[in-house]
Amino acid sequence: MMIQAQATITIAESRSLQGEITPPGDKSISHRAAILNSIASGRATISNFAPGGDCLATISCLRALGVPIRRTGPGGRPTVSIHGNGADGLREATDVLDARDSATAMRLLWGLLAGRPFLTIITGDASLRSRPMDRLIDPLRLMGADISGRAGDSRAPLVIKGRPLTGVEFDLPVPSAQIKSALLLAGLFASGGTVLRQPSPSRDHTERLLKLMGAKLEDEANLVSLRPLSGHLSPASLRVPGDISSAAYFLVAGAVHDNARIVIRDCGVNPTRTGIIDVLRAMGARLEILNRRVEAGEPLADIVVESSDLKGVEIGGELIPRLVDELPVLAVAACYARGRTVIRNATELRVKESDRIATVSTELTRLGAVVEPLPDGMEIHGGRRLSGTEVSSHLDHRLAMSLGVAALIAKGKTTIKHATVARVSYPSFWQHMGQLSS
Ligand code: S3P
């Protein structure tokens, strides 16, 4: 089915999609489990840790800050053992920290380090260095942080001179789990409580893990309050649930392909992340959730998806933070749905790994889709078959995988340039796709 030449992959339309996959460990939970266990007191073992480049960047940064971390097990499903020595166990790094492509790594580390008594410089790759950081710098400065960049520029690389912080009451201008989590990390060691209000709920993995580890945190709907840590965080050993943002590619592939049945095992179904399931169901997808359970405070389940007859829907408002990373692949679903799909209130897409409103519209249009970019989303007129051609991932992992799904159903062959960038979040993606298709 696939011919691979360096970073380019060619995919022929597939006759059927059948079988089972277990997605890699959740990226958001893995970042948080690594960071919070690094400042807990004692040893924790995290299995099914996210294998992609993003979470490995977090591990390298934490090691550079003096945290003993051992990685064992198979590359696709690593186990990470961390020996935390409390926040005082962190040491000034001898060199600049590199968050690579990961905004979550960079932002959470700024929150963690703003109150530590040493100097840190964090940079990232070209895409991360172009992303806005003022949305985090402003509230951190309100807490007393000393954080600065090049003259007139609030993008990475940035320098933090750690100093004592004070808790704040802050209204987040955008619903962002990264900003919320960074401020909670800073608030743990500030004097006085931290109260955050969000315009709508965003993923709550930090809150769940902090509670599990003994922090005094209360959250309901749009409000989170945290008291500074008195004593220490208890280490949390856990098995990370499968990443629903990775499963999303096969949820859509199964629903739009006309000869498909895919079982997705051990997938996280935290309600702050399941917008993709709600939207696919509203589009008419045949999708079943089985074997629901909770492990280490996080819900997970098995999901079965089958060939479906989809119709267009409107996606916007409070749903957006619950499926923000899944919008590129939902745009592919919309191409195959009858009628019109409109995505609104998703300006955040413009500041992800690529400007996803521009890149998704351009590349799907190349495949013959009717997609109109809007300032805050996209309008897609579905129901016509796509045709294979040459497309590009724009070095954006989520676009690479979304185009892979489109290619499975498009007529003929599709060549995706820079497709191997998928390894940022899902190193075995192309292999899983090959296993399911025939
Ligand atoms: C993430 C939050 C989201 C998401 C990103 C991971 C997290 O970003 O797009 O891939 O782990 O907190 P924002 O919180 O900035 O929307």
Side-chain angles (χ1 to χ4, degrees):
M1 183 205 72
M2 282 179 273
I3 309 149
Q4 189 169 335
Q6 292 167 1
T8 296
I9 288 180
T10 298
I11 299 173
E13 65 189 281
S14 90
R15 270 178 288 115
S16 97
L17 279 179
Q18 305 281 339
E20 257 188 50
I21 57 138
T22 305
D26 188 272
K27 198 152 75 79
S28 293
I29 298 175
S30 298
H31 281 298
R32 288 152 170 87
I35 292 174
L36 287 174
N37 276 305
S38 290
I39 53 164
S41 297
R43 190 181 295 280
T45 304
I46 307 157
S47 59
N48 202 33
F49 191 81
D54 271 13
C55 290
L56 299 184
T58 292
I59 296 286
S60 328
C61 292
L62 291 168
R63 280 188 178 137
L65 292 161
V67 183
I69 304 185
R70 223 158 51 92
R71 206 174 105 208
T72 53
R77 303 206 179 271
T79 293
V80 168
S81 311
I82 302 183
H83 198 144
N85 273 312
D88 291 338
L90 300 177
R91 297 276 166 270
E92 182 169 298
T94 49
D95 204 348
V96 173
L97 301 184
D98 185 0
R100 301 189 210 165
D101 194 32
S102 177
T104 311
M106 180 174 273
R107 292 181 173 136
L108 267 53
L109 286 171
W110 276 332
L112 176 74
L113 298 170
R116 295 292 92 210
F118 50 73
L119 178 115
T120 310
I121 306 171
I122 315 183
T123 192
D125 69 7
S127 140
L128 184 53
R129 291 197 310 272
S130 72
R131 293 175 67 179
M133 295 296 155
D134 36 0
R135 49 176 62 187
L136 175 58
I137 297 175
D138 295 346
L140 279 178
R141 282 192 181 138
L142 280 180
M143 296 178 82
D146 181 347
I147 179 163
S148 55
R150 294 191 176 100
D153 196 346
S154 59
R155 292 168 302 177
L158 294 172
V159 182
I160 312 157
K161 289 187 196 136
R163 41 179 295 177
L165 305 179
T166 331
V168 273
E169 260 197 67
F170 186 71
D171 286 357
L172 275 80
V174 282
S176 162
Q178 292 177 355
I179 309 299
K180 174 181 66 176
S181 302
L183 297 176
L184 290 174
L185 285 165
L188 272 181
F189 307 103
S191 58
T194 293
V195 180
L196 305 175
R197 250 175 252 102
Q198 329 178 61
S200 53
S202 60
R203 66 193 70 192
D204 65 357
H205 307 299
T206 308
E207 294 89 311
R208 286 174 188 252
L209 198 52
L210 276 172
K211 283 195 254 185
L212 191 76
M213 296 172 80
K216 299 212 162 38
L217 180 141
E218 282 167 34
D219 57 333
E220 54 166 275
N222 295 345
L223 196 74
V224 189
S225 16
L226 174 75
R227 277 197 266 149
L229 201 61
S230 59
H232 62 264
L233 287 178
S234 309
S237 288
L238 53 106
R239 182 168 75 111
V240 178
D243 197 326
I244 190 166
S245 298
S246 298
Y249 302 98
F250 295 110
L251 290 176
V252 169
V256 297
H257 195 286
D258 60 11
N259 181 13
R261 184 176 189 277
I262 303 175
V263 180
I264 295 168
R265 297 265 178 226
D266 303 335
C267 186
V269 286
N270 177 316
T272 58
R273 297 282 297 281
T274 46
I276 173 86
I277 292 178
D278 298 348
V279 168
L280 282 175
R281 279 192 164 148
M283 293 175 92
R286 292 163 64 206
L287 197 149
E288 243 189 307
I289 303 183
L290 308 167
N291 197 15
R292 279 184 187 269
R293 62 248 190 230
V294 175
E295 282 182 24
E298 286 283 350
L300 64 158
D302 301 332
I303 308 174
V304 185
V305 62
E306 292 179 280
S307 309
S308 315
D309 185 17
L310 300 187
K311 62 174 195 301
V313 284
E314 301 212 344
I315 306 171
E318 297 216 340
L319 247 179
I320 297 296
R322 295 181 55 232
L323 47 61
V324 67
D325 293 337
E326 290 67 75
L327 286 167
V329 77
L330 273 172
V332 174
C335 292
Y336 282 95
R338 268 175 294 115
R340 193 176 73 122
T341 293
V342 187
I343 301 169
R344 302 304 305 239
N345 315 120
T347 319
E348 279 302 293
L349 288 181
R350 297 222 178 256
V351 290
K352 295 293 180 188
E353 285 82 332
S354 67
D355 172 347
R356 287 182 178 157
I357 294 180
T359 55
V360 169
S361 314
T362 305
E363 300 306 318
L364 290 180
T365 302
R366 269 191 228 286
L367 290 167
V370 182
V371 185
E372 192 193 324
L374 305 171
D376 65 341
M378 281 172 260
E379 182 169 326
I380 300 158
H381 294 267
R384 57 147 83 187
R385 178 117 194 255
L386 302 183
S387 287
T389 183
E390 186 173 279
V391 287
S392 167
S393 73
H394 296 256
L395 291 174
D396 181 335
H397 57 128
R398 303 223 180 268
L399 183 54
M401 294 185 275
S402 302
L403 292 169
V405 172
L408 285 177
I409 318 133
K411 214 180 323 164
K413 285 186 180 155
T414 303
T415 296
I416 306 171
K417 286 192 286 177
H418 306 298
T420 43
V421 69
R423 63 175 165 250
V424 163
S425 59
Y426 195 165
S428 52
F429 175 74
W430 300 108
Q431 191 194 329
H432 281 178
M433 184 178 261
Q435 281 162 13
L436 293 173
S437 358
S438 59

